[in-house]
Amino acid sequence: MSDAFDFSVSPFDRLTPEQRQRLAAALDLGVYARDGVILSRDEPADCLFVVRQGLVHERRGGEVVAVHGAHDSFDLQALFSDGQARSFVAAEDTLCDLVPRPILLELAHENAAFGAVIQQAFADRLSALANERSNRETAALTMARIRQAYLHPPVFVEAGASLRDAAAAMKRNQASSVLVRDGDPKKGGRIGILTGTDLRDLVVLEGQPVDSPVRLLARYELLALDRDDLLFNALILMTKHSVRRLVITEQGAVAGLLEQTDLLAVLSNHSQVVALKVDRAATPEDLGRASQDIVGLIRTLHGTGVKVSFIADLVTELNRKIFRRLFELLAPPDLLANACLIVMGSEGRGEQLLKTDQDNGLILRDGYDCPSLPQVTDAFTRHLVEFGYPPCPGRIMVSNPDWTRPLALYKDSLFHWIHRPDEAAQMNLAIFYDAAAVAGDAALLAEAKGYLLGRLQDNQMFFTAFARPALAFDTPSGLFGGLFERRRGEAVDIKKAGIFPIVHGVRALALEKHMAETNTTERIWALADQGVLDRGMAGELADAFTFLSTLRLKAGLDGSVSGTQTDNLVRMETLGKLDRDQFKDCLALVKKFKELLAYHFHLNH
């Protein structure tokens, strides 16, 4: 069927007749049924796919990010690099012409016009992927509201007060301005402003007596915006009138003052700005300041409605940059060359948003010895605590020698965790299965993970024991309907009730299938690709995980100034009806998923 290949489509229209014949002879045909996986996530390809008929969905997690129809081709990134973070699934019965990599490279080498298009298409693809995130983030920051910035509490003085009184009020309240109340605004009175700069100019430069009343010296043409207005509107107004602060109102009343520095702090919370600060950090203290900027980025993106999965991707990348840079600042070069710094738990899965307990370790090359290792690992843990990452109660940190050890000892531990699985061993295995390399030689972690997956056997007893914790916590269902009003003040631990059962249940299913994915959503869709979960359940489970993670993030932001996740509790009375109904549906789905796990792993026996 290769003679039906359409050579009128770019870039194949640039081939000579002889080259077309060689390409046609090398072609194969791929036949894919609806919902069939054509190319899975992170899978390198050995051919270029050209759609002859049908439709292909390009997915990132469960989200369709592109659609490929007749004459479209994919995926150059998988063909010329180590894979891609997306999968390609047939949206309907599909036929694809498969162009083998060798003939593609051969023709690109001998035909400059053909090769130029291939090269440009690959460059455009990488550029588009790089710009996609930046564009989404910039769009979100553009939509940021004034209420997402810090407002300075208003400090009022009466119009009859003196300049000395105004200066004293500023000092007492650590304010850079005061608002002057001249009569009742509701009865025709007015409000003015007097700034520290005004005081300097009036008293020092112009010689005004310090007992002069502020009534005659304040400026009453206030520039004001509502708290729900856009931050960019505030920036434009400040720029246009050359002022450094605006009065912000809410429901007609003064809510506070927006200072230019606080406005710019929000708008500068772009991941690229934070990343640049990390790269340029010369001391751990520099990294600590960059780490604090991440909190503002999370608040801004969440406040503008950005999906929690996108925020998690950004935060994961920035956190790992910080961990990597801190390790580089502390470790001697030979340690960097002979060790692999790993993160585990939610950080390893790429799901950490606010700062949670540290879960990290260090894999050393067998035979390597570093005399200063204890000082390096202790300093690493100490600095992360200073940055706001709490120490792990179970001491799963590089400062614990049990988690800083040679590769051979890690393999010994993995053997023990698999073949003599007590409760602690199962927890350690689960944590390590989620590990991701952050700094040093990533091949050390790859070898350890390979050993782990290679030692797994079809041992029903092992997987039954490993999966059992997914059912350990109760998922409530009596908080709703008629019982809800009688349980006001009731709080649900969203991590135990919903998030952990999904994370660990999906992890158990993935481990059973020897999957390499670490992220929960990616594991869900990989399980769907293998038929372990049907696509309907996979979609509902991924949506529920996203919704529950969003609620957890909101609870954390509401209860934390530093950006540390101190609260997993969702208080029912704080939820609107829509969120409450969706929360109810999510917990019902978690119960259904637990039943699936109980049946699959024989947990009721």
Side-chain angles (χ1 to χ4, degrees):
M1 296 180 67
S2 60
D3 57 347
F5 188 81
D6 189 350
F7 283 101
S8 67
V9 177
S10 178
F12 303 102
D13 58 346
R14 288 161 172 77
L15 296 175
T16 66
E18 186 273 333
Q19 289 169 341
R20 293 183 185 189
Q21 287 184 356
R22 282 159 49 204
L23 176 61
L27 288 174
D28 201 353
L29 187 69
V31 182
Y32 307 97
R34 180 175 180 174
D35 290 334
V37 178
I38 299 173
L39 194 63
S40 62
R41 178 187 179 276
D42 284 336
E43 179 185 357
D46 58 3
C47 63
L48 180 71
F49 297 81
V50 183
V51 181
R52 180 183 293 190
Q53 67 182 55
L55 206 62
V56 177
H57 282 175
E58 182 177 344
R59 289 177 172 164
R60 185 181 184 281
E63 184 179 352
V64 176
V65 295
V67 177
H68 304 282
H71 306 307
D72 291 337
S73 60
F74 64 90
D75 182 53
L76 286 168
Q77 184 184 359
L79 195 60
F80 294 122
S81 61
D82 295 328
Q84 71 296 313
R86 301 170 188 227
S87 61
F88 297 82
V89 178
E92 56 188 51
D93 292 346
T94 298
L95 295 178
C96 289
D97 286 299
L98 311 182
V99 183
R101 188 174 190 271
I103 188 68
L104 195 68
L105 291 175
E106 179 184 316
L107 294 175
H109 177 72
E110 66 182 61
N111 186 320
F114 178 76
V117 176
I118 293 290
Q119 185 178 15
Q120 186 59 48
F122 181 52
D124 290 346
R125 166 72 167 166
L126 294 183
S127 177
L129 290 172
N131 289 335
E132 176 188 322
R133 191 186 71 182
S134 180
N135 291 341
R136 289 175 67 186
E137 186 183 347
T138 301
L141 289 169
T142 303
M143 296 304 294
R145 304 281 170 175
I146 289 173
R147 66 173 55 255
Q148 292 167 240
Y150 175 73
L151 293 185
H152 295 261
V155 178
F156 285 95
V157 297
E158 297 302 323
S162 67
L163 293 178
R164 180 186 289 109
D165 296 331
M170 289 184 202
K171 181 178 180 181
R172 188 168 57 251
N173 293 279
Q174 295 183 323
S176 60
S177 64
V178 291
L179 295 176
V180 178
R181 188 186 287 115
D182 191 5
D184 187 347
K186 295 180 180 179
K187 298 180 180 178
R190 56 183 182 166
I191 293 178
I193 189 170
L194 189 74
T195 69
T197 303
D198 294 334
L199 276 175
R200 181 199 64 194
D201 293 346
L202 290 169
V203 176
V204 178
L205 300 180
E206 298 180 17
Q208 288 280 354
V210 293
D211 56 359
S212 301
V214 295
R215 174 184 288 113
L216 303 176
L217 303 170
R219 290 175 285 113
Y220 293 94
E221 297 78 23
L222 294 182
L223 296 173
L225 288 174
D226 187 81
R227 200 167 190 169
D228 283 321
D229 214 323
L230 295 174
L231 270 175
F232 267 101
N233 289 345
L235 181 61
I236 291 169
L237 199 59
M238 286 182 182
T239 304
K240 180 179 179 180
H241 295 278
S242 300
V243 297
R244 295 182 179 179
R245 59 186 59 79
L246 299 173
V247 174
I248 305 302
T249 61
E250 189 168 28
Q251 296 181 344
V254 175
L257 284 92
L258 175 65
E259 301 267 355
Q260 188 181 59
T261 53
D262 298 303
L263 180 152
L264 294 175
V266 175
L267 296 181
S268 67
N269 277 332
H270 194 289
S271 63
Q272 292 178 355
V273 177
V274 180
L276 187 62
K277 291 181 181 178
V278 173
D279 291 339
R280 292 181 175 178
T283 65
E285 289 70 29
D286 293 339
L287 284 176
R289 287 187 285 272
S291 176
Q292 294 307 312
D293 290 343
I294 296 177
V295 182
L297 176 65
I298 295 172
R299 290 185 185 276
T300 300
L301 294 177
H302 177 64
T304 50
V306 174
K307 289 183 179 180
V308 72
S309 58
F310 176 73
I311 301 174
D313 285 346
L314 281 180
V315 172
T316 295
E317 182 176 317
L318 293 173
N319 277 338
R320 291 181 186 180
K321 273 183 172 289
I322 287 172
F323 300 158
R324 182 183 308 117
R325 184 62 183 142
L326 178 60
F327 193 62
E328 290 170 348
L329 288 172
L330 298 174
D334 62 303
L335 178 57
L336 280 169
N338 289 282
C340 178
L341 177 67
I342 60 174
V343 289
M344 296 169 281
S346 60
E347 183 62 44
R349 295 192 304 275
E351 293 160 8
Q352 186 182 87
L353 292 161
L354 298 180
K355 297 167 184 173
T356 55
D357 299 344
Q358 294 182 45
D359 284 314
N360 48 54
L362 196 64
I363 305 175
L364 303 171
R365 197 179 310 281
D366 292 333
Y368 169 72
D369 179 61
C370 177
S372 63
L373 185 61
Q375 291 79 16
V376 172
T377 55
D378 285 349
F380 186 85
T381 296
R382 184 180 71 254
H383 283 303
L384 286 187
V385 171
E386 292 168 356
F387 295 174
Y389 300 91
C392 175
R395 300 188 64 239
I396 303 172
M397 300 177 290
V398 295
S399 53
N400 179 356
D402 289 343
W403 289 94
T404 291
R405 54 203 327 198
L407 176 61
L409 292 183
Y410 263 100
K411 289 180 178 178
D412 288 346
S413 294
L414 288 166
F415 183 91
H416 171 83
W417 297 339
I418 293 170
H419 297 288
R420 292 188 289 276
D422 56 20
E423 186 176 337
Q426 289 166 2
M427 181 191 74
N428 289 339
L429 182 62
I431 290 170
F432 186 83
Y433 181 42
D434 294 342
V438 171
D441 186 356
L444 294 169
L445 175 61
E447 186 173 342
K449 283 276 190 90
Y451 178 84
L452 162 63
L453 297 178
R455 294 299 307 183
L456 291 174
Q457 301 169 352
D458 295 330
N459 184 331
Q460 185 61 55
M461 288 183 62
F462 167 79
F463 287 109
T464 296
F466 184 81
R468 191 174 299 280
L471 275 58
F473 302 113
D474 181 45
T475 299
S477 58
L479 295 172
F480 308 98
L483 291 178
F484 177 72
E485 291 303 324
R486 287 187 277 127
R487 291 197 180 187
R488 294 196 69 81
E490 183 97 39
V492 178
D493 188 318
I494 195 169
K495 182 178 179 181
K496 291 180 179 179
I499 293 175
F500 178 76
I502 294 176
V503 168
H504 190 66
V506 167
R507 177 165 49 205
L509 291 169
L511 185 64
E512 183 184 40
K513 293 297 180 182
H514 300 195
M515 290 181 175
E517 287 84 1
T518 56
N519 179 268
T520 298
T521 302
E522 290 166 1
R523 282 172 173 168
I524 288 172
W525 288 106
L527 289 166
D529 289 347
Q530 291 200 19
V532 179
L533 296 173
D534 69 60
R535 290 204 169 272
M537 167 63 90
E540 291 177 354
L541 210 54
D543 289 345
F545 180 68
T546 297
F547 178 77
L548 295 172
S549 299
T550 303
L551 281 189
R552 186 185 183 213
L553 173 60
K554 184 179 184 304
L557 288 174
D558 289 346
S560 171
V561 175
S562 65
T564 303
Q565 185 84 46
T566 58
D567 195 352
N568 291 310
L569 299 179
V570 173
R571 290 156 182 84
M572 306 309 298
E573 67 273 15
T574 66
L575 299 181
K577 185 180 186 307
L578 218 61
D579 281 349
R580 197 161 67 243
D581 288 345
Q582 194 167 352
F583 190 30
K584 171 186 173 182
D585 292 342
C586 286
L587 294 185
L589 180 69
V590 171
K591 278 183 167 289
K592 181 180 175 183
F593 181 55
K594 283 182 171 181
E595 292 170 2
L596 182 153
L597 293 172
Y599 176 79
H600 182 90
F601 289 110
H602 307 288
L603 293 173
N604 293 329
H605 296 182

